């Protein structure tokens, strides 16, 4: 399905600013749809042929839809768009006409012109039309709640025609709740409550206000209820700002252990301030879960920090023991164990600084590669380079993968290149001679393909021995690599000679859906 912008750019000559305004309407019009008990369709005139194209649609959550099929992308003309043509040409809301039928569903048409106000605040030209189509199959005498909903919807519809709705969004502000069904309070021009829905009344009761809201000065009530005086002042000022015609950011109020999210919107049809609409939602449980998650995240980070400290202690003890061992083979084995433990500690150190059980793996690879060149038991100076990005990996993959890469990098540095002075090794000045190999280098590459992580560790050294068995051969490090890749990572590994010489280890590690999506981002 094409996006609103794609459809508008393909079929119309609307300016970027016009399309941005249509995006703002589509981002905030669920409110109008729910208040209207109607489907909203955003129609734009197709250049030069008298037809209209539907570029967006929203269905109400408070009533049945008038359309079983999605209308986005549909182009219509002739008598079917007569009401849209009137609203577009005359710049007024069209409400005349008899009900129409969509299959077995009777519906009432309305058309609301969409204007984009000019830079000096004047009402601009009509750039689109919002069709408000109501399913009449369940028509009945409206309740007090429904009458207030419809009255407020008409005010917002007029504001769309004036170019004053939706209000500009504040930096960093989301389009999250509250919604109409969470709780609605309507204020008059003096800030007094003229109507409060049952859900709104319940939300205030949880904050500690047991009386009925009608007749209350809501700004003063917010100041009285809030546990934090500054928070109450902010919430009260938000109501006053809406009464002045401004659109304040969403505010939260905490009282008696409960939390309520509020959103205040000015009501000023035809440019006349007549009051405000305040949407409220009880988010006590949401905030309680948020606090629990914050506590859990802090606990997990502390655990990772302690694991890192314990691993570093183990590494220090092994290093101390290695210094006291007389047998060279035992000393080498202990030093290798120190490096393996240290590589795992790197992952836990990174996790201890993150609020998620996932790590940016590139930095870890770079640190492991740098350490491999520093601690490798070789006289050859080897350059390290990384190509591509590992991205974000979950801890269960990162911990095993860092051990695998540590072993492969150490193996490449220590065994991939001839010792200094041997035929094929670089000369003292590092410049390759007639029989000398190029400057020693190891390249770590990574990329994602079809929810798999493809990794290669390639050197430009002397390559694998002729009789090397990739399945059975190799030292303890390579045995550890094969066990981790096929076991913990459930992947595959192939050791082979590179196309241009040297040795190449190729890993393919499957990623879960969430991991692949994070890596793609």
């Amino acid at each position: 399905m094409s996006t609103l912008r794609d459809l508008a750019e393909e079929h119309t000559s609307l300016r970027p600013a016009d399309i941005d305004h249509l995006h703002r309407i589509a981002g905030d019009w669920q409110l109008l749809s729910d208040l209207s008990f109607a489907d909203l369709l955003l129609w734009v005139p197709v250049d030069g042929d008298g037809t209209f194209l539907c570029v967006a649609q929203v269905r109400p959550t408070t009533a049945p839809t008038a359309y079983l099929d999605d209308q986005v992308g549909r182009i219509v003309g002739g008598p079917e768009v007569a009401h849209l043509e009137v609203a577009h040409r005359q710049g007024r809301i069209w409400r005349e006409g008899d009900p129409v039928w969509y299959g077995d569903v009777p519906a009432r048409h309305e058309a609301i012109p969409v204007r984009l106000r000019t830079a000096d605040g004047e009402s601009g030209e009509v750039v689109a039309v919002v069709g408000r189509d109501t399913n009449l199959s369940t028509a009945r005498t409206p309740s007090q709640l429904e009458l207030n909903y419809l009255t407020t919807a008409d005010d917002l519809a007029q504001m769309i025609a004036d170019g004053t709705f939706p209000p500009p969004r504040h930096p960093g502000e989301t389009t999250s709740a509250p919604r109409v069904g969470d709780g609605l309070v309507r204020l008059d021009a003096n800030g007094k409550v003229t109507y409060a829905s049952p859900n709104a009344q319940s939300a205030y009761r949880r904050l500690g206000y047991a009386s009925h809201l009608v007749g209350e000065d809501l700004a003063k009530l917010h100041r009285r209820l809030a546990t934090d005086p500054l928070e109450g002042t902010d919430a009260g000022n938000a109501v006053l700002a809406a009464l002045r015609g401004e659109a304040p950011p969403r505010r939260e109020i905490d009282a008696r252990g409960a939390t309520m999210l509020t959103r205040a919107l000015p009501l000023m049809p035809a440019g006349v301030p007549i009051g405000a609409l305040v949407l409220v939602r009880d988010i006590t449980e949401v905030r309680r879960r948020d606090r629990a998650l914050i506590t859990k995240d802090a606990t997990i980070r502390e655990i990772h920090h302690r694991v890192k400290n314990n691993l570093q202690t183990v590494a220090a003890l092994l290093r101390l023991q290695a210094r006291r061992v007389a047998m060279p083979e035992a000393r080498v084995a202990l030093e290798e164990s120190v490096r393996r433990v240290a590589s795992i500690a790197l992952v836990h150190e990174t996790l201890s600084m993150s609020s998620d059980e996932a790590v940016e793996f590139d930095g870890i690879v770079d640190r492991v590669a740098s350490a491999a060149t520093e601690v490798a038991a070789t006289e050859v100076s080897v350059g390290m380079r990384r190509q591509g990005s590992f991205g974000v990996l979950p801890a269960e993959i990162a911990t095993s993968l860092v051990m695998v890469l540590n072993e492969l990098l150490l193996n490449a540095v220590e065994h991939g290149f001839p010792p200094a002075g041997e035929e094929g090794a670089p000369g003292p000045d590092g410049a390759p001679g007639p029989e000398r190999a190029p400057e020693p280098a190891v390249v770590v590459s990574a990329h994602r393909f079809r929810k798999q992580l493809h990794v290669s560790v390639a050197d430009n050294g002397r390559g694998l021995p002729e009789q090397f068995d990739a399945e059975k051969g190799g030292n303890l490090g390579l045995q550890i690599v094969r066990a981790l890749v096929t076991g913990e990572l459930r992947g595959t590994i192939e050791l082979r000679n590179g196309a241009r010489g040297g040795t190449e280890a190729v890993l393919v590690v499957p990623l879960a859906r969430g991991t692949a999506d994070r890596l793609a981002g």
Side-chain angles (χ1 to χ4, degrees):
M1 178 67 68
S2 298
T3 65
L4 186 159
R5 186 175 300 276
D6 293 336
L7 291 169
E9 290 178 346
E10 180 180 354
H11 296 279
T12 75
S13 57
L14 291 175
R15 301 165 301 176
D18 299 332
I19 299 175
D20 289 341
H21 183 61
L22 299 185
H23 266 292
R24 286 194 294 273
I25 289 177
D28 226 347
W29 67 350
Q30 183 69 60
L31 169 64
L32 178 59
S33 177
D34 290 342
L35 289 170
S36 303
F37 306 100
D39 292 76
L40 300 184
L41 287 75
L42 186 56
W43 297 95
V44 294
V46 178
D47 293 338
D49 62 0
T51 60
F52 283 80
L53 165 69
C54 181
V55 295
Q57 177 182 0
V58 64
R59 291 180 170 87
T61 63
T62 52
T65 180
Y67 300 95
L68 295 179
D69 298 324
D70 199 279
Q71 303 296 300
V72 176
R74 182 171 175 236
I75 298 178
V76 294
E80 192 174 352
V81 298
H83 62 301
L84 303 178
E85 181 64 35
V86 171
H88 184 261
R89 186 179 64 255
Q90 300 181 11
R92 67 176 179 88
I93 297 177
W94 184 93
R95 291 193 173 97
E96 305 89 54
D98 297 325
V100 295
W101 290 81
Y102 297 107
D104 297 331
V105 178
R108 180 177 63 247
H109 271 331
E110 296 180 53
I112 306 165
V114 176
R115 283 187 175 87
L116 174 62
R117 297 186 76 81
T118 62
D120 57 3
E122 296 296 324
S123 181
E125 62 181 8
V126 177
V127 297
V129 179
V130 171
R132 183 163 61 166
D133 301 337
T134 306
N135 185 332
L136 299 177
S137 61
T138 59
R140 56 184 174 79
T141 303
S143 64
Q144 184 185 11
L145 178 144
E146 291 167 336
L147 287 173
N148 277 277
Y149 276 21
L150 292 170
T151 300
T152 305
D154 288 342
D155 293 334
L156 293 180
Q158 184 60 54
M159 290 173 66
I160 288 180
D162 298 336
T164 56
F165 183 88
R169 190 173 302 164
H170 295 265
E173 188 175 22
T174 66
T175 57
S176 59
R179 289 187 171 188
V180 169
D182 297 322
L184 177 145
V185 179
R186 176 149 181 157
L187 309 179
D188 62 18
N190 297 316
K192 299 292 181 66
V193 177
T194 59
Y195 176 76
S197 70
N199 284 346
Q201 190 72 51
S202 297
Y204 279 93
R205 186 171 291 114
R206 191 162 186 183
L207 290 180
Y209 185 74
S211 302
H212 204 277
L213 285 169
V214 174
E216 279 289 333
D217 186 315
L218 198 65
K220 294 180 179 178
L221 179 62
H222 284 178
R223 295 191 183 105
R224 294 202 311 266
L225 289 177
T227 303
D228 184 345
L230 180 60
E231 188 179 83
T233 300
D234 288 344
N237 289 342
V239 173
L240 297 177
L243 294 172
R244 294 193 299 267
E246 303 169 9
R250 294 161 174 80
R251 298 293 185 187
E252 292 185 10
I253 302 176
D254 288 294
R256 298 182 61 182
T259 306
M260 185 174 71
L261 176 64
T262 67
R263 183 190 183 191
L265 293 168
L267 294 176
M268 43 190 307
V272 179
I274 62 171
L277 172 67
V278 180
L279 300 173
V280 300
R281 180 187 177 189
D282 181 359
I283 58 170
T284 304
E285 294 305 314
V286 175
R287 289 295 172 261
R288 182 189 63 79
R289 288 195 297 269
D290 287 346
R291 288 190 289 269
L293 286 173
I294 291 173
T295 301
K296 178 183 177 182
D297 288 342
T299 302
I300 291 173
R301 288 197 299 272
E302 178 62 21
I303 291 172
H304 284 301
H305 180 72
R306 295 187 182 188
V307 170
K308 182 262 296 185
N309 288 344
N310 290 339
L311 289 171
Q312 289 179 339
T313 300
V314 171
L317 292 173
L318 290 172
R319 191 178 295 111
L320 181 62
Q321 186 65 40
R323 292 172 183 168
R324 296 173 177 267
V325 171
M327 295 178 60
E329 296 84 354
R331 186 182 302 110
V332 170
L334 287 172
E335 289 173 349
E336 289 180 350
S337 297
V338 168
R339 292 193 290 267
R340 289 164 185 149
V341 172
S343 66
I344 300 175
L346 274 179
V347 176
H348 287 281
E349 180 181 6
T350 306
L351 288 169
S352 69
M353 297 182 289
S354 171
S355 60
D356 193 8
E357 278 295 284
V359 294
E360 284 284 354
F361 201 68
D362 291 345
I364 294 177
V365 173
D366 294 342
R367 292 174 65 180
V368 169
S370 177
T373 59
E374 293 174 0
V375 303
T378 178
E379 299 176 358
V380 179
S381 177
V382 180
M384 288 283 185
R385 185 160 53 92
R386 173 173 55 82
Q387 291 182 340
S389 175
F390 288 82
V392 178
L393 295 179
E396 61 268 21
I397 291 179
T399 303
S400 298
L401 186 57
V402 72
M403 285 193 65
V404 169
L405 292 177
N406 181 62
E407 296 295 339
L408 291 175
L409 289 169
L410 281 171
N411 203 60
V413 173
E414 293 184 345
H415 306 293
F417 303 96
E422 184 178 307
E423 183 179 354
D429 60 355
E435 300 297 330
R436 296 187 177 100
E439 190 70 20
V442 178
V443 179
V444 182
S445 304
H447 71 278
R448 184 182 65 90
F449 181 70
R450 293 181 178 176
K451 295 184 173 57
Q452 293 178 329
L453 181 62
H454 292 246
V455 183
S456 72
V457 178
D459 64 60
N460 59 352
R462 53 189 171 188
L464 295 170
E466 291 185 6
Q467 304 302 320
F468 181 80
D469 186 342
E471 295 297 325
K472 300 178 181 178
N475 55 19
L476 175 62
L478 289 180
Q479 294 176 23
I480 292 174
V481 166
R482 280 193 290 269
L484 288 173
V485 171
T486 59
E488 296 296 325
L489 297 176
R490 299 182 181 180
T492 60
I493 181 170
E494 179 184 2
L495 292 172
R496 64 194 183 195
N497 285 315
R500 298 182 180 179
T503 305
E504 186 177 23
V506 180
L507 292 79
V508 179
V509 179
L511 298 171
R513 177 178 297 274
T515 305
D517 293 342
R518 288 197 300 272
L519 189 59

